[in-house]
Structure formats: C-alpha cells, structure tokens
Amino acid sequence: MKVSDRTHGVEYAIRDITAYARKYKASGKEIIYLNIGDPVKFDFKTPEHIKKALVDAVTRDENYYTDSEGLPELRQAIVEKESEKGLDVTEDDVIVTNGVSEGLDMTMASIVDPNSEVLMPGPYYPPYSSYAKFYGGKPVEFKLYEDGRPDLEDLRSKITPRSRALCIISPNNPTGEVFDRKSLQQLVDIATEHDLYVICDEIYDKIVFDSQFTGIGKVAKDAPVILLNGFSKAYLMTGWRCGYIAMNSSSKKLAGLREDIPKLARVRIAANLPVQIAAVQALRGPQAHIPKMVEKLRSRRDYVVKRLNAMGMQCRVPRGAFYVFPKINLGHCWKDDQHFVIDLLNNTGVLTVHGSGFGSAYGAGHFRIVYLPPEEMLEKAMDKLERFVNSKQAS
Ligand code: PLP
C-alpha cells in the first residue's frame, strides 16, 4: 500500500542506529550505550519531591484532561522561570507540550509551508530538520566557527526570500557549544532584518559548565522569538514528556502564531495532567540536584575529552549539555562516519551516533558520544575505543 512521502523521509539518527545494536545484542554480547541523552538511564534520578508530586496527583484522582494550553499554575511557574532569564512573557503566551519535541512539531507545523527554508546551525539536533522537511520545508545549515560562534557571513549568504525561521540551539546538541550574548544578539538582529521567526531551544539552560548562560530573552526585545524548553534534562523527567513553548509577549509579529499554535494544542486535547502538577513542583521546589548534576557531569566531560585527545581524536571541550563531538581520522580505514560507528559497535559493543545524522554539511566526519554514564563505564568504553582505533590504524 502507498505510504505518504512525507513520513517516509523522517529520520532520527540517535534512535535509528539502535537497529544495528539490536542485531549485535542478539548475538549475546554486551552493549555500552553512549547514544541517547537520557540522564535517568544512568545515575541521575528524578528528585524525590517531584516523584512524590506525581504520585500524589494520581492518588488524588487528578487524572482527567486539563486545559489544552496547559495547567494554569504551571504556565504561571513557567512565566516566572523564563522572565527571570530575561524573556518578556505572560501566561497567555505559554503552551505546555508533551516534551520539547511536541513543541518543536507544533512550531514547525505553524510556520513552515512547502518550499520555505529553515535556517539551523550545523551540526544540529536532528528533529529540527526532520520536522522542517515533514512540513514540506527545506533545512538550511549555517556554519559555526571552530570555537562555536556562528559564522554570520555564511548565515547571511544563505538567507533567501524563502527563508522563514532561524533556529538557535544553545547549549547545542551535539556539540555542547553555548552561544554568548554577543552571538545571540547578532543572530536576533539578522533575523529581525530579514523578518524571520527565531526558534530558540534552551532545554540545556541549566547544564552549563564554564561560562555564564545567557537566555535569548535578554536580547530579544520585540523580535518574534519562540522559546522551547522543558523538564526532561534539568529535572530528570525524560520519560514523563513535559515541555513548553513560550512566545515573546513583546512581539506583535507573533499574532498569527498566538492564534494557530493553540489550535494544534486543542486538537491533541492536552498534555499529561499529573506530570504537569509534578512539573510545578520541579520549578517551585528545591533545586539542589542541579549543581550536583552539573559537577558530576563536569568531571565526566573532562575525563572523556582528555582520553579522546590523548588517543588522537580531536575534540573540543563542550561548554554545556552532555555530549562530545570528536572528529574521526577516517584515513583508509572507514568510508565515512556511519561506517566508523557501525564498525566500532560490531567490534567493541560501544554504541555512539554518526555525526552526519546531525546534518551532513558540518556533522560528517564526526561522531557523538554521550558522557552521562559513571566513570567506570566511561573508562571501559574509552579503553575499548582506544584499542579499536589503534588496531584499525595499525592494520
Ligand atoms: N531539544 C534538544 C536540543 C535535545 O537535545 C532534546 C533531547 O535530546 C530535545 C529537544 C527533546 O526534548 P524533550 O524530551 O523535551 O522532547
């Protein structure tokens, strides 16, 4: 039977690669999963007060549909969080979603027409291009310098009359780069000059190591900024699926979206109510787990970066999130980054993600490692990787 062309092209390298892992596992061998950025799968657990809030809500029978735009109390708590970061936002401009993923889907659905172009940093988190393509648009990657700053000339050269939106992901996945205030300002200025929406993903806003995090709100003024954020990473609620869209209330240009995004929220009824009740506690309750998590991650990051550089895999020190994106010396050993990742899996059981899955223009020739696991597991993985690379390059 015919299936839609639209869905046929959907890709998500981070999970698509697990098909290879399943085959490997079927042979009875152990896999070290360094492919999915889920802290809760490792030694980072949902804080007790957030779990209790969820269980209590379910026990109190708060198990019905809630408002499509989200639970009012949660929308208010989100306004408080994002206002503190600098965004001008009122409750009316917040929509609670089933994860940032659904927020991104609704945003792309509302702004992308067939043949419109969506600018995104290369490399980027894969759903940005998948959703843009799904709605008939074309993802266009702009270049980042080695130090993570956007190459503004490259960006300008890629803007056309079909450009609709500029995406910012800071900290970025897969590079862990964080845009500083100056870069954010320059990107917003370019978007304003060309009448582009700014879609900004700040899901890793609390997971930043060496530099100060600056929210897009600080430089947004009245630009049409659509901020995406959620509870998966900082509040360790990955499996619960809770996120939100927060639109810049100072922007008149968002009038159309203010009407249309709620329509999409209504047609899918509502986000999960007990989870939203727990999310209120996540924002309003103790935050002590966050600095602890960041410190643990900092030492894991430092360990992995040191090992990679020592084995000759050029790797920058990421400033946020929990990924490294080293370069592969492909030489005569591997045809491309995907071949490398599959060969690494088949020889060692270490599962990573090929860089081209994050955009072929700038991701190719790299691979992404998640450094969430405890040190012993990372050490085992790095030892295996080192032996693998040395043996291949010696042959
Ligand atoms: N945005 C970025 C940049 C991510 O890295 C991820 C997950 O890895 C998501 C969004 C997905 O977020 P959620 O779990 O809220 O759907």
Side-chain angles (χ1 to χ4, degrees):
M1 300 272 288
K2 175 91 179 89
V3 293
S4 74
D5 296 336
R6 200 188 309 114
T7 309
H8 202 61
V10 172
E11 287 168 340
Y12 188 57
I14 299 165
R15 283 172 180 261
D16 294 345
I17 196 77
T18 50
Y20 294 96
R22 245 178 260 128
K23 246 193 255 161
Y24 181 84
K25 205 170 173 199
S27 65
K29 295 186 207 139
E30 182 210 13
I31 295 186
I32 302 181
Y33 291 93
L34 304 183
N35 64 319
I36 296 185
D38 187 348
V40 190
K41 283 268 180 85
F42 300 99
D43 57 339
F44 301 92
K45 297 300 171 200
T46 321
E48 286 306 317
H49 67 282
I50 305 178
K51 287 198 271 195
K52 183 170 182 310
L54 175 72
V55 171
D56 288 353
V58 171
T59 309
R60 281 196 313 271
D61 280 323
E62 305 225 42
N63 299 314
Y64 41 87
Y65 296 139
T66 185
D67 297 358
S68 297
E69 294 82 357
L71 186 69
E73 206 187 338
L74 178 58
R75 292 168 83 198
Q76 187 50 46
I78 291 166
V79 164
E80 285 159 25
K81 170 179 167 154
E82 294 303 341
S83 306
E84 236 171 74
K85 285 167 58 192
L87 186 71
D88 176 28
V89 64
T90 65
E91 223 178 293
D92 289 341
D93 280 328
V94 173
I95 309 281
V96 180
T97 56
N98 293 298
V100 168
S101 308
E102 190 191 38
L104 176 62
D105 183 2
M106 288 181 179
T107 305
M108 292 284 188
S110 305
I111 66 180
V112 176
D113 274 321
N115 302 319
S116 51
E117 294 172 1
V118 181
L119 293 145
M120 52 193 72
Y124 54 78
Y125 177 57
Y128 279 80
S129 72
S130 292
Y131 282 122
K133 284 198 262 182
F134 184 79
Y135 292 108
K138 185 176 158 214
V140 177
E141 294 173 65
F142 62 90
K143 190 174 160 204
L144 304 179
Y145 290 116
E146 277 285 297
D147 64 3
R149 283 177 305 119
D151 180 334
L152 303 177
E153 281 322 298
D154 184 66
L155 170 60
R156 282 182 190 284
S157 74
K158 288 171 176 167
I159 297 175
T160 75
R162 292 178 299 281
S163 304
R164 264 304 152 84
L166 168 63
C167 301
I168 297 175
I169 309 164
S170 178
N172 194 4
N173 174 3
T175 59
E177 285 296 353
V178 184
F179 285 145
D180 62 13
R181 186 178 179 126
K182 185 171 170 201
S183 295
L184 290 172
Q185 183 70 69
Q186 289 166 328
L187 292 170
V188 168
D189 288 348
I190 292 177
T192 305
E193 192 186 318
H194 294 274
D195 224 13
L196 306 174
Y197 288 106
V198 178
I199 304 172
C200 186
D201 184 328
E202 294 185 357
I203 193 168
Y204 298 104
D205 59 357
K206 300 271 186 201
I207 307 176
V208 173
F209 306 109
D210 313 304
S211 51
Q212 192 67 26
F213 172 79
T214 306
I216 190 77
K218 286 259 161 64
V219 300
K221 298 195 197 82
D222 62 352
V225 168
I226 303 131
L227 175 65
L228 304 177
N229 206 342
F231 297 85
S232 289
K233 315 288 179 174
Y235 295 101
L236 301 161
M237 291 161 57
T238 43
W240 295 4
R241 317 304 303 124
C242 193
Y244 54 90
I245 300 170
M247 291 179 269
N248 182 6
S249 297
S250 301
S251 176
K252 291 201 175 71
K253 291 183 177 171
L254 290 174
L257 275 200
R258 285 191 186 98
E259 260 186 51
D260 283 1
I261 291 188
K263 289 184 199 163
L264 294 176
R266 293 196 284 272
V267 78
R268 61 66 155 128
I269 302 185
N272 182 315
L273 173 60
V275 167
Q276 291 190 64
I277 293 170
V280 174
Q281 289 316 308
L283 291 181
R284 297 235 160 102
Q287 306 288 311
H289 70 282
I290 297 175
K292 286 188 198 144
M293 171 166 67
V294 171
E295 278 323 297
K296 238 158 76 170
L297 285 172
R298 181 201 297 277
S299 91
R300 291 174 193 186
R301 172 199 69 165
D302 291 346
Y303 174 73
V304 168
V305 169
K306 198 167 110 206
R307 287 291 308 267
L308 288 166
N309 283 322
M311 66 179 92
M313 300 200 110
Q314 204 189 324
C315 173
R316 285 185 51 78
V317 183
R319 289 184 293 166
F322 30 65
Y323 311 99
V324 280
F325 200 58
K327 202 165 176 181
I328 310 163
N329 301 320
L330 293 169
H332 60 277
C333 306
W334 301 282
K335 187 169 79 221
D336 56 27
D337 51 294
Q338 185 162 14
H339 184 212
F340 169 86
V341 161
I342 294 168
D343 200 26
L344 174 66
L345 169 71
N346 289 335
N347 280 279
T348 66
V350 175
L351 181 61
T352 58
V353 186
H354 47 289
S356 50
F358 300 86
S360 53
Y362 304 104
H366 291 75
F367 70 124
R368 191 191 75 168
I369 297 175
V370 167
Y371 58 79
L372 285 164
E375 264 92 352
E376 316 79 75
M377 201 189 289
L378 289 175
E379 187 177 355
K380 202 166 157 190
M382 289 301 117
D383 289 348
K384 283 173 181 269
L385 174 65
E386 188 166 17
R387 279 198 298 272
F388 168 74
V389 171
N390 287 342
S391 71
K392 287 282 170 169
Q393 282 169 349
S395 65

